[in-house]
Amino acid sequence: MAGMVVIGAGQAASQLVASLRTEGYAAPITVVGDEPYPPYQRPPLSKKFLSGELAEDRLYIRPAEFYEQAGAALMLGVRATRVDLEAKTVTLATGDRLAYETLAFTTGSRVRRLTTPGADLPGIFYLRGIADVKAIQPHFQAGKRIVIVGGGYIGLEVAAVAAKRGLKVTVVEALERCLQRVTSKLMSDFFEGVHREAGVTILTSTGVHGFKAGANGTVIVETAGPQLEADLVVAGIGILPEQEVAQAAGLVCENGIVVDEFARASDPNVYAIGDCSNHPNPLLGRRLRLESVQNAIDQAKAAAAAICGKPKPYAEVPWFWSDQYDLKLQIAGLSMLGDDLVVRGDPASRKFAAFYLRAGAVAAVDAVNAAPEYMIGRMMIAQKKQVDPAKLADPSVPMKALMG
Ligand SMILES: Cc1cc2nc3c(=O)[nH]c(=O)nc-3n(C[C@H](O)[C@H](O)[C@H](O)COP(=O)(O)OP(=O)(O)OC[C@H]3O[C@@H](n4cnc5c(N)ncnc54)[C@H](O)[C@@H]3O)c2cc1C
C-alpha cells in the first residue's frame, strides 16, 4: 500500500505524523527530510540554542522512538527533487522513487539571501537551521563585532543574545524602523529603545550596498550610512516559501502552495502545511502565509483530519512569540488589520500591551511580559469582541471583566 509521503521533516511533518495516527490513519507513512536531523523546533535557534543554554537534543520535537512506534519511516539527509502528480510518485536526489496515495508538502521556507556585491564572502551567515547556528557559534565571542543585517524578529533576537554575550552589536535596517513589517511604531520604538539601552547600535533607513574582505578575515560592510567593520555578519532579511518542487509539479503556487481551509492543494491527493502554504483564514477574512509554530501545528491537525475523512476547517487566530533579553513578547492576530491603537500599561515598566482595534473590535494584540492581556486578547480576537477603548487602556480594569 502506497500510503502517505511527507516532503520535509520539520515542525509540521512531526505534527502531521502524530495527528494522522491519532485520527486513525493506518497506512504507511514516509517522511523525507533534506536535513540530517529528525524534526526539530526552530524558535530556540535564535534564542537559547544560539546562547548555548539549550542542548541540541532538546530541540527535537519528539524522540526517535515516537516515529518508530507510529510506523513512520524517517528518510533524513535526502532531498525530494520531483513529484509526478499523474504517476503519484516522488523522486529523491538519490534517484529513488517513492509511490504515494496521499502526499504532503511540509517543506517550510528558506532564507532570502543577500544579493549585494560580496555577499558570498566568508564571515556572512544566515540563520535557518541547526547547521547555521553551529557555523555561527565559534565566532560568537565577547568583544567581537557583529553586524546584523535586518531588524526583524530574528535579527533582534540574535542582537539580544549577542549583546548579552558581550559582542559589539550593530543592527542595520533598510526600513525606517525595526519590525516595521510586523508591528506598530509604538512597539518598534520600544524594542529599539531596549536594544539601545543594552548597548546595541541600531541604524535604520540604512540599506547595505555591499561587502568587502577586510584585514584578518573581517568583513567591511558598506551601507548607505557609515562603513562598518565586522568579525561576523548575520543576515535576517526574510524568508521565501520552499515551493519549487510543488510548482514544477504543476501545483498552483502564489507566495506559497495555494491550499483550501483543509490544507488541500490544487491536486486532490496533495496537501501543503506550515510555512510553505498559502491558506485562507475565515477568522481574518483573507488568505495568508504564516511563518509560525502555531500555524504548522494547527494546520497539520486540520490536514490529518481531512485525510482521515473527518474534515474540520483550519480557522485559528495566528499567534507568535519572541524572546529578547528579559522580555517575552506574545503576539496574536495581525496588527496591520487594526485601525486604532490602544495601549494598556506603561512601556517604560516593560510590562504592557498594544491592542489593535478594527471597527471597535479587537483585531490583534502585542503583549510584553503581559500574559493575561495576551491570553484574553487572543479570545477577544476569535470572538471579534467589541471593547470600550477607555476600559481596555485602564490596567485597573481586569482583562477578564472586559470579556464579560
Ligand atoms: C531562527 C528562527 C526562529 C524562529 N522563532 C519563532 C518563534 O519564536 N515563534 C514561532 O512561532 N515561530 C518561530 N519561527 C518559525 C517556525 O520555526 C516555523 O514557522 C516552523 O518551523 C515552520 O514549520 P514547517 O514544518 O512549515 O517548516 P520547517 O520546520 O522549516 O521544516 C521544513 C523542512 O523541510 C525541509 N525541506 C524543504 N524542501 C525539501 C525537499 N524538497 N526535500 C526534503 N526536505 C525538504 C527543510 O529543510 C526543513 O527541514 C522561527 C524560525 C527560525 C528559523
Side-chain angles (χ1 to χ4, degrees), residues 68-105:
E68 275 167 39
Q69 283 162 14
L74 291 186
M75 297 182 73
L76 300 176
V78 59
R79 193 165 173 80
T81 52
R82 189 170 174 271
V83 166
D84 185 331
L85 299 174
E86 286 275 303
K88 295 209 229 171
T89 57
V90 177
T91 305
L92 308 183
T94 51
D96 291 334
R97 207 168 283 177
L98 304 173
Y100 67 81
E101 190 185 355
T102 311
L103 176 68
F105 281 90

Side-chain angles (χ1 to χ4, degrees), residues 292-306:
S292 76
V293 167
Q294 167 273 322
N295 175 60
I297 290 178
D298 290 338
Q299 209 183 8
K301 290 179 183 172

Side-chain angles (χ1 to χ4, degrees), residues 358-383:
R358 186 181 179 83
V362 179
V365 59
D366 291 336
V368 175
N369 291 344
E373 278 70 9
Y374 163 70
M375 301 279 280
I376 294 178
R378 216 169 107 182
M379 291 186 228
M380 289 174 157
I381 299 164
Q383 294 176 17

